[in-house]
mmCIF file of all heavy atoms in Angstrom:
data_model
loop_
_atom_site.group_PDB
_atom_site.id
_atom_site.type_symbol
_atom_site.label_atom_id
_atom_site.label_comp_id
_atom_site.label_asym_id
_atom_site.label_seq_id
_atom_site.Cartn_x
_atom_site.Cartn_y
_atom_site.Cartn_z
ATOM 1 N N LEU A 228 125.035 -14.953 3.201
ATOM 2 C CA LEU A 228 126.131 -15.925 3.108
ATOM 3 C C LEU A 228 127.375 -15.434 3.855
ATOM 4 O O LEU A 228 128.083 -16.219 4.491
ATOM 5 C CB LEU A 228 126.463 -16.200 1.641
ATOM 6 C CG LEU A 228 125.371 -16.918 0.839
ATOM 7 C CD1 LEU A 228 125.827 -17.152 -0.596
ATOM 8 C CD2 LEU A 228 124.990 -18.236 1.498
ATOM 9 N N LEU A 229 127.629 -14.148 3.768
ATOM 10 C CA LEU A 229 128.763 -13.587 4.490
ATOM 11 C C LEU A 229 128.563 -13.736 5.998
ATOM 12 O O LEU A 229 129.518 -13.983 6.742
ATOM 13 C CB LEU A 229 128.946 -12.117 4.107
ATOM 14 C CG LEU A 229 130.223 -11.408 4.577
ATOM 15 C CD1 LEU A 229 130.622 -10.327 3.585
ATOM 16 C CD2 LEU A 229 130.039 -10.768 5.958
ATOM 17 N N ARG A 230 127.315 -13.637 6.419
ATOM 18 C CA ARG A 230 127.011 -13.753 7.847
ATOM 19 C C ARG A 230 127.193 -15.182 8.374
ATOM 20 O O ARG A 230 127.170 -15.408 9.581
ATOM 21 C CB ARG A 230 125.575 -13.284 8.117
ATOM 22 C CG ARG A 230 125.388 -11.776 7.963
ATOM 23 C CD ARG A 230 123.930 -11.366 8.022
ATOM 24 N NE ARG A 230 123.767 -9.922 7.859
ATOM 25 C CZ ARG A 230 123.639 -9.060 8.865
ATOM 26 N NH1 ARG A 230 123.648 -9.502 10.112
ATOM 27 N NH2 ARG A 230 123.493 -7.769 8.632
ATOM 28 N N GLN A 231 127.396 -16.144 7.465
ATOM 29 C CA GLN A 231 127.618 -17.526 7.895
ATOM 30 C C GLN A 231 129.102 -17.859 8.100
ATOM 31 O O GLN A 231 129.443 -18.958 8.524
ATOM 32 C CB GLN A 231 127.014 -18.482 6.862
ATOM 33 C CG GLN A 231 125.505 -18.405 6.747
ATOM 34 C CD GLN A 231 124.959 -19.295 5.643
ATOM 35 O OE1 GLN A 231 125.623 -20.242 5.190
ATOM 36 N NE2 GLN A 231 123.737 -19.006 5.189
ATOM 37 N N THR A 232 129.984 -16.924 7.802
ATOM 38 C CA THR A 232 131.417 -17.182 7.951
ATOM 39 C C THR A 232 131.838 -17.135 9.419
ATOM 40 O O THR A 232 131.165 -16.535 10.259
ATOM 41 C CB THR A 232 132.239 -16.128 7.177
ATOM 42 O OG1 THR A 232 131.960 -14.832 7.721
ATOM 43 C CG2 THR A 232 131.898 -16.143 5.699
ATOM 44 N N ASN A 233 132.991 -17.759 9.700
ATOM 45 C CA ASN A 233 133.551 -17.702 11.050
ATOM 46 C C ASN A 233 133.820 -16.262 11.471
ATOM 47 O O ASN A 233 133.640 -15.898 12.635
ATOM 48 C CB ASN A 233 134.853 -18.506 11.118
ATOM 49 C CG ASN A 233 134.612 -19.998 11.053
ATOM 50 O OD1 ASN A 233 133.512 -20.475 11.388
ATOM 51 N ND2 ASN A 233 135.619 -20.753 10.629
ATOM 52 N N ALA A 234 134.274 -15.467 10.502
ATOM 53 C CA ALA A 234 134.590 -14.067 10.804
ATOM 54 C C ALA A 234 133.370 -13.332 11.346
ATOM 55 O O ALA A 234 133.445 -12.617 12.353
ATOM 56 C CB ALA A 234 135.124 -13.378 9.550
ATOM 57 N N TRP A 235 132.236 -13.534 10.702
ATOM 58 C CA TRP A 235 131.027 -12.827 11.141
ATOM 59 C C TRP A 235 130.545 -13.377 12.487
ATOM 60 O O TRP A 235 130.219 -12.613 13.400
ATOM 61 C CB TRP A 235 129.921 -12.978 10.100
ATOM 62 C CG TRP A 235 128.748 -12.082 10.402
ATOM 63 C CD1 TRP A 235 127.749 -12.310 11.291
ATOM 64 C CD2 TRP A 235 128.497 -10.785 9.843
ATOM 65 N NE1 TRP A 235 126.871 -11.261 11.323
ATOM 66 C CE2 TRP A 235 127.308 -10.305 10.451
ATOM 67 C CE3 TRP A 235 129.130 -9.992 8.891
ATOM 68 C CZ2 TRP A 235 126.756 -9.063 10.113
ATOM 69 C CZ3 TRP A 235 128.584 -8.767 8.561
ATOM 70 C CH2 TRP A 235 127.413 -8.316 9.185
ATOM 71 N N LYS A 236 130.534 -14.686 12.610
ATOM 72 C CA LYS A 236 130.043 -15.303 13.843
ATOM 73 C C LYS A 236 130.878 -14.907 15.062
ATOM 74 O O LYS A 236 130.357 -14.786 16.169
ATOM 75 C CB LYS A 236 130.049 -16.825 13.694
ATOM 76 C CG LYS A 236 129.041 -17.350 12.676
ATOM 77 C CD LYS A 236 129.193 -18.852 12.492
ATOM 78 C CE LYS A 236 128.230 -19.384 11.442
ATOM 79 N NZ LYS A 236 128.419 -20.853 11.201
ATOM 80 N N ASN A 237 132.176 -14.710 14.845
ATOM 81 C CA ASN A 237 133.073 -14.389 15.964
ATOM 82 C C ASN A 237 133.347 -12.895 16.110
ATOM 83 O O ASN A 237 134.178 -12.484 16.916
ATOM 84 C CB ASN A 237 134.400 -15.130 15.792
ATOM 85 C CG ASN A 237 134.216 -16.635 15.861
ATOM 86 O OD1 ASN A 237 133.425 -17.131 16.663
ATOM 87 N ND2 ASN A 237 134.938 -17.369 15.022
ATOM 88 N N GLY A 238 132.625 -12.090 15.319
ATOM 89 C CA GLY A 238 132.778 -10.637 15.433
ATOM 90 C C GLY A 238 134.101 -10.106 14.902
ATOM 91 O O GLY A 238 134.617 -9.106 15.391
ATOM 92 N N HIS A 239 134.649 -10.783 13.871
ATOM 93 C CA HIS A 239 135.924 -10.372 13.306
ATOM 94 C C HIS A 239 135.781 -9.859 11.873
ATOM 95 O O HIS A 239 136.640 -10.109 11.021
ATOM 96 C CB HIS A 239 136.922 -11.529 13.363
ATOM 97 C CG HIS A 239 137.407 -11.819 14.745
ATOM 98 N ND1 HIS A 239 138.171 -12.917 15.061
ATOM 99 C CD2 HIS A 239 137.227 -11.151 15.914
ATOM 100 C CE1 HIS A 239 138.441 -12.917 16.358
ATOM 101 N NE2 HIS A 239 137.865 -11.851 16.887
ATOM 102 N N VAL A 240 134.680 -9.178 11.599
ATOM 103 C CA VAL A 240 134.518 -8.457 10.338
ATOM 104 C C VAL A 240 134.865 -7.002 10.610
ATOM 105 O O VAL A 240 134.217 -6.335 11.422
ATOM 106 C CB VAL A 240 133.085 -8.578 9.785
ATOM 107 C CG1 VAL A 240 132.928 -7.731 8.529
ATOM 108 C CG2 VAL A 240 132.755 -10.033 9.493
ATOM 109 N N VAL A 241 135.917 -6.528 9.946
ATOM 110 C CA VAL A 241 136.412 -5.167 10.169
ATOM 111 C C VAL A 241 136.000 -4.288 8.997
ATOM 112 O O VAL A 241 136.383 -4.557 7.850
ATOM 113 C CB VAL A 241 137.950 -5.149 10.319
ATOM 114 C CG1 VAL A 241 138.447 -3.718 10.512
ATOM 115 C CG2 VAL A 241 138.376 -6.043 11.481
ATOM 116 N N PHE A 242 135.212 -3.280 9.284
ATOM 117 C CA PHE A 242 134.853 -2.307 8.253
ATOM 118 C C PHE A 242 135.961 -1.256 8.244
ATOM 119 O O PHE A 242 136.010 -0.355 9.072
ATOM 120 C CB PHE A 242 133.470 -1.718 8.536
ATOM 121 C CG PHE A 242 132.375 -2.751 8.423
ATOM 122 C CD1 PHE A 242 131.965 -3.478 9.539
ATOM 123 C CD2 PHE A 242 131.795 -3.023 7.195
ATOM 124 C CE1 PHE A 242 130.970 -4.451 9.431
ATOM 125 C CE2 PHE A 242 130.808 -3.983 7.071
ATOM 126 C CZ PHE A 242 130.401 -4.711 8.188
ATOM 127 N N ALA A 243 136.860 -1.425 7.300
ATOM 128 C CA ALA A 243 138.115 -0.670 7.288
ATOM 129 C C ALA A 243 137.904 0.804 6.971
ATOM 130 O O ALA A 243 136.867 1.205 6.432
ATOM 131 C CB ALA A 243 139.061 -1.289 6.264
ATOM 132 N N ASP A 244 138.912 1.594 7.322
ATOM 133 C CA ASP A 244 138.922 3.012 6.979
ATOM 134 C C ASP A 244 139.144 3.111 5.470
ATOM 135 O O ASP A 244 140.281 3.066 4.982
ATOM 136 C CB ASP A 244 140.050 3.716 7.747
ATOM 137 C CG ASP A 244 140.053 5.227 7.559
ATOM 138 O OD1 ASP A 244 139.670 5.696 6.470
ATOM 139 O OD2 ASP A 244 140.448 5.940 8.496
ATOM 140 N N ALA A 245 138.054 3.232 4.734
ATOM 141 C CA ALA A 245 138.133 3.152 3.269
ATOM 142 C C ALA A 245 138.988 4.253 2.660
ATOM 143 O O ALA A 245 139.636 4.053 1.629
ATOM 144 C CB ALA A 245 136.728 3.186 2.677
ATOM 145 N N GLN A 246 139.013 5.423 3.281
ATOM 146 C CA GLN A 246 139.818 6.519 2.733
ATOM 147 C C GLN A 246 141.311 6.231 2.884
ATOM 148 O O GLN A 246 142.113 6.550 1.999
ATOM 149 C CB GLN A 246 139.441 7.825 3.411
ATOM 150 C CG GLN A 246 138.018 8.259 3.094
ATOM 151 C CD GLN A 246 137.634 9.536 3.806
ATOM 152 O OE1 GLN A 246 138.399 10.121 4.564
ATOM 153 N NE2 GLN A 246 136.409 9.980 3.576
ATOM 154 N N ALA A 247 141.688 5.627 4.004
ATOM 155 C CA ALA A 247 143.093 5.258 4.192
ATOM 156 C C ALA A 247 143.484 4.109 3.268
ATOM 157 O O ALA A 247 144.574 4.098 2.694
ATOM 158 C CB ALA A 247 143.350 4.885 5.648
ATOM 159 N N TRP A 248 142.588 3.115 3.118
ATOM 160 C CA TRP A 248 142.897 1.927 2.317
ATOM 161 C C TRP A 248 142.805 2.201 0.813
ATOM 162 O O TRP A 248 143.634 1.697 0.053
ATOM 163 C CB TRP A 248 141.930 0.794 2.659
ATOM 164 C CG TRP A 248 142.150 0.125 3.979
ATOM 165 C CD1 TRP A 248 142.089 0.703 5.219
ATOM 166 C CD2 TRP A 248 142.446 -1.259 4.208
ATOM 167 N NE1 TRP A 248 142.314 -0.234 6.200
ATOM 168 C CE2 TRP A 248 142.531 -1.456 5.613
ATOM 169 C CE3 TRP A 248 142.616 -2.361 3.370
ATOM 170 C CZ2 TRP A 248 142.808 -2.701 6.185
ATOM 171 C CZ3 TRP A 248 142.879 -3.604 3.943
ATOM 172 C CH2 TRP A 248 142.979 -3.770 5.335
ATOM 173 N N TYR A 249 141.802 2.980 0.391
ATOM 174 C CA TYR A 249 141.545 3.106 -1.050
ATOM 175 C C TYR A 249 142.114 4.381 -1.663
ATOM 176 O O TYR A 249 142.634 4.352 -2.778
ATOM 177 C CB TYR A 249 140.046 3.025 -1.325
ATOM 178 C CG TYR A 249 139.721 2.858 -2.797
ATOM 179 C CD1 TYR A 249 139.917 1.624 -3.416
ATOM 180 C CD2 TYR A 249 139.249 3.914 -3.556
ATOM 181 C CE1 TYR A 249 139.650 1.459 -4.772
ATOM 182 C CE2 TYR A 249 138.969 3.761 -4.909
ATOM 183 C CZ TYR A 249 139.173 2.530 -5.518
ATOM 184 O OH TYR A 249 138.913 2.368 -6.858
ATOM 185 N N VAL A 250 142.038 5.500 -0.954
ATOM 186 C CA VAL A 250 142.524 6.766 -1.520
ATOM 187 C C VAL A 250 144.035 6.876 -1.382
ATOM 188 O O VAL A 250 144.703 7.449 -2.247
ATOM 189 C CB VAL A 250 141.830 7.967 -0.833
ATOM 190 C CG1 VAL A 250 142.359 9.283 -1.387
ATOM 191 C CG2 VAL A 250 140.322 7.886 -1.031
ATOM 192 N N THR A 251 144.588 6.349 -0.306
ATOM 193 C CA THR A 251 146.017 6.514 -0.055
ATOM 194 C C THR A 251 146.724 5.145 0.017
ATOM 195 O O THR A 251 147.130 4.618 -0.989
ATOM 196 C CB THR A 251 146.243 7.328 1.232
ATOM 197 O OG1 THR A 251 145.391 6.821 2.275
ATOM 198 C CG2 THR A 251 145.931 8.791 1.009
ATOM 199 N N ALA A 252 146.934 4.619 1.218
ATOM 200 C CA ALA A 252 147.578 3.310 1.454
ATOM 201 C C ALA A 252 149.066 3.299 1.138
ATOM 202 O O ALA A 252 149.672 2.227 1.044
ATOM 203 C CB ALA A 252 146.874 2.197 0.665
ATOM 204 N N ALA A 253 149.678 4.486 0.982
ATOM 205 C CA ALA A 253 151.119 4.520 0.717
ATOM 206 C C ALA A 253 151.767 5.738 1.359
ATOM 207 O O ALA A 253 152.713 6.317 0.817
ATOM 208 C CB ALA A 253 151.379 4.516 -0.785
ATOM 209 N N SER A 254 151.266 6.129 2.518
ATOM 210 C CA SER A 254 151.857 7.237 3.271
ATOM 211 C C SER A 254 151.854 6.850 4.747
ATOM 212 O O SER A 254 151.225 5.861 5.138
ATOM 213 C CB SER A 254 151.066 8.531 3.058
ATOM 214 O OG SER A 254 149.758 8.406 3.613
ATOM 215 N N VAL A 255 152.551 7.619 5.553
ATOM 216 C CA VAL A 255 152.713 7.255 6.963
ATOM 217 C C VAL A 255 151.372 7.185 7.683
ATOM 218 O O VAL A 255 151.049 6.177 8.340
ATOM 219 C CB VAL A 255 153.658 8.245 7.674
ATOM 220 C CG1 VAL A 255 153.706 7.950 9.171
ATOM 221 C CG2 VAL A 255 155.059 8.148 7.073
ATOM 222 N N ASN A 256 150.559 8.235 7.585
ATOM 223 C CA ASN A 256 149.270 8.237 8.282
ATOM 224 C C ASN A 256 148.368 7.102 7.811
ATOM 225 O O ASN A 256 147.733 6.427 8.623
ATOM 226 C CB ASN A 256 148.552 9.582 8.090
ATOM 227 C CG ASN A 256 148.947 10.597 9.136
ATOM 228 O OD1 ASN A 256 149.203 10.249 10.286
ATOM 229 N ND2 ASN A 256 149.010 11.853 8.744
ATOM 230 N N SER A 257 148.295 6.901 6.515
ATOM 231 C CA SER A 257 147.392 5.867 5.995
ATOM 232 C C SER A 257 147.859 4.474 6.398
ATOM 233 O O SER A 257 147.029 3.617 6.751
ATOM 234 C CB SER A 257 147.268 5.971 4.474
ATOM 235 O OG SER A 257 148.517 5.781 3.837
ATOM 236 N N ILE A 258 149.161 4.223 6.376
ATOM 237 C CA ILE A 258 149.658 2.906 6.784
ATOM 238 C C ILE A 258 149.374 2.662 8.260
ATOM 239 O O ILE A 258 148.991 1.547 8.666
ATOM 240 C CB ILE A 258 151.168 2.777 6.502
ATOM 241 C CG1 ILE A 258 151.427 2.760 4.993
ATOM 242 C CG2 ILE A 258 151.731 1.507 7.149
ATOM 243 C CD1 ILE A 258 150.823 1.586 4.255
ATOM 244 N N GLU A 259 149.525 3.680 9.078
ATOM 245 C CA GLU A 259 149.238 3.509 10.501
ATOM 246 C C GLU A 259 147.755 3.216 10.734
ATOM 247 O O GLU A 259 147.397 2.387 11.590
ATOM 248 C CB GLU A 259 149.672 4.750 11.275
ATOM 249 C CG GLU A 259 151.201 4.888 11.350
ATOM 250 C CD GLU A 259 151.647 6.074 12.169
ATOM 251 O OE1 GLU A 259 150.794 6.952 12.466
ATOM 252 O OE2 GLU A 259 152.845 6.143 12.513
ATOM 253 N N LEU A 260 146.877 3.855 9.965
ATOM 254 C CA LEU A 260 145.440 3.577 10.080
ATOM 255 C C LEU A 260 145.124 2.160 9.598
ATOM 256 O O LEU A 260 144.284 1.463 10.179
ATOM 257 C CB LEU A 260 144.645 4.612 9.283
ATOM 258 C CG LEU A 260 144.622 6.024 9.871
ATOM 259 C CD1 LEU A 260 144.052 7.023 8.861
ATOM 260 C CD2 LEU A 260 143.814 6.058 11.164
ATOM 261 N N ILE A 261 145.796 1.736 8.543
ATOM 262 C CA ILE A 261 145.602 0.371 8.039
ATOM 263 C C ILE A 261 146.073 -0.650 9.071
ATOM 264 O O ILE A 261 145.406 -1.665 9.317
ATOM 265 C CB ILE A 261 146.337 0.188 6.697
ATOM 266 C CG1 ILE A 261 145.621 0.979 5.591
ATOM 267 C CG2 ILE A 261 146.419 -1.293 6.311
ATOM 268 C CD1 ILE A 261 146.365 1.041 4.281
ATOM 269 N N ILE A 262 147.213 -0.382 9.684
ATOM 270 C CA ILE A 262 147.716 -1.283 10.724
ATOM 271 C C ILE A 262 146.713 -1.380 11.875
ATOM 272 O O ILE A 262 146.450 -2.478 12.397
ATOM 273 C CB ILE A 262 149.090 -0.804 11.237
ATOM 274 C CG1 ILE A 262 150.157 -1.029 10.155
ATOM 275 C CG2 ILE A 262 149.475 -1.551 12.523
ATOM 276 C CD1 ILE A 262 151.518 -0.459 10.516
ATOM 277 N N ASP A 263 146.140 -0.253 12.262
ATOM 278 C CA ASP A 263 145.120 -0.268 13.319
ATOM 279 C C ASP A 263 143.957 -1.179 12.937
ATOM 280 O O ASP A 263 143.465 -1.966 13.765
ATOM 281 C CB ASP A 263 144.598 1.145 13.587
ATOM 282 C CG ASP A 263 145.617 2.028 14.298
ATOM 283 O OD1 ASP A 263 146.570 1.489 14.876
ATOM 284 O OD2 ASP A 263 145.448 3.268 14.253
ATOM 285 N N ASP A 264 143.501 -1.077 11.674
ATOM 286 C CA ASP A 264 142.405 -1.916 11.214
ATOM 287 C C ASP A 264 142.802 -3.390 11.200
ATOM 288 O O ASP A 264 142.028 -4.267 11.641
ATOM 289 C CB ASP A 264 141.965 -1.498 9.801
ATOM 290 C CG ASP A 264 141.136 -0.223 9.791
ATOM 291 O OD1 ASP A 264 140.568 0.112 10.842
ATOM 292 O OD2 ASP A 264 141.056 0.420 8.731
ATOM 293 N N VAL A 265 143.988 -3.672 10.689
ATOM 294 C CA VAL A 265 144.445 -5.063 10.588
ATOM 295 C C VAL A 265 144.524 -5.691 11.973
ATOM 296 O O VAL A 265 144.016 -6.795 12.201
ATOM 297 C CB VAL A 265 145.812 -5.134 9.885
ATOM 298 C CG1 VAL A 265 146.412 -6.545 10.008
ATOM 299 C CG2 VAL A 265 145.675 -4.773 8.407
ATOM 300 N N VAL A 266 145.134 -4.991 12.901
ATOM 301 C CA VAL A 266 145.292 -5.515 14.268
ATOM 302 C C VAL A 266 143.945 -5.722 14.943
ATOM 303 O O VAL A 266 143.763 -6.699 15.677
ATOM 304 C CB VAL A 266 146.187 -4.573 15.100
ATOM 305 C CG1 VAL A 266 146.144 -4.933 16.582
ATOM 306 C CG2 VAL A 266 147.633 -4.614 14.592
ATOM 307 N N SER A 267 142.983 -4.855 14.661
ATOM 308 C CA SER A 267 141.676 -4.983 15.297
ATOM 309 C C SER A 267 140.971 -6.286 14.910
ATOM 310 O O SER A 267 140.111 -6.775 15.632
ATOM 311 C CB SER A 267 140.793 -3.778 14.941
ATOM 312 O OG SER A 267 140.406 -3.810 13.586
ATOM 313 N N GLY A 268 141.357 -6.851 13.773
ATOM 314 C CA GLY A 268 140.775 -8.111 13.339
ATOM 315 C C GLY A 268 141.177 -9.298 14.196
ATOM 316 O O GLY A 268 140.580 -10.371 14.092
ATOM 317 N N TYR A 269 142.183 -9.120 15.011
ATOM 318 C CA TYR A 269 142.678 -10.211 15.869
ATOM 319 C C TYR A 269 142.300 -10.031 17.326
ATOM 320 O O TYR A 269 142.678 -10.838 18.167
ATOM 321 C CB TYR A 269 144.209 -10.310 15.739
ATOM 322 C CG TYR A 269 144.635 -10.750 14.355
ATOM 323 C CD1 TYR A 269 144.771 -9.818 13.329
ATOM 324 C CD2 TYR A 269 144.886 -12.084 14.081
ATOM 325 C CE1 TYR A 269 145.152 -10.212 12.048
ATOM 326 C CE2 TYR A 269 145.266 -12.503 12.805
ATOM 327 C CZ TYR A 269 145.387 -11.543 11.801
ATOM 328 O OH TYR A 269 145.749 -11.952 10.540
ATOM 329 N N ARG A 270 141.561 -8.980 17.604
ATOM 330 C CA ARG A 270 141.144 -8.765 18.993
ATOM 331 C C ARG A 270 139.874 -9.554 19.303
ATOM 332 O O ARG A 270 138.950 -9.588 18.495
ATOM 333 C CB ARG A 270 140.893 -7.273 19.251
ATOM 334 C CG ARG A 270 142.152 -6.407 19.129
ATOM 335 C CD ARG A 270 141.935 -5.050 19.740
ATOM 336 N NE ARG A 270 143.131 -4.226 19.570
ATOM 337 C CZ ARG A 270 143.242 -3.218 18.709
ATOM 338 N NH1 ARG A 270 142.199 -2.896 17.952
ATOM 339 N NH2 ARG A 270 144.347 -2.514 18.630
#
């Protein structure tokens, strides 16, 4: 079912840096890694 979404069909499923998103997400390095992941979803 997930593979039927627009995101999957257009190659915009981002497998995020789980350690940056889940373990941290509130420091400079982790936010920069999250931003990289977020921006990659629009490429």
Side-chain angles (χ1 to χ4, degrees):
L228 293 181
L229 190 150
R230 289 171 181 263
Q231 295 176 20
T232 61
N233 288 336
W235 190 279
K236 293 175 182 177
N237 296 321
H239 288 171
V240 176
V241 178
F242 294 91
D244 186 328
Q246 294 178 359
W248 286 61
Y249 192 75
V250 178
T251 46
S254 66
V255 174
N256 272 326
S257 61
I258 292 297
E259 289 183 346
L260 289 168
I261 289 171
I262 289 174
D263 288 342
D264 284 339
V265 169
V266 169
S267 70
Y269 293 85
R270 295 195 182 106

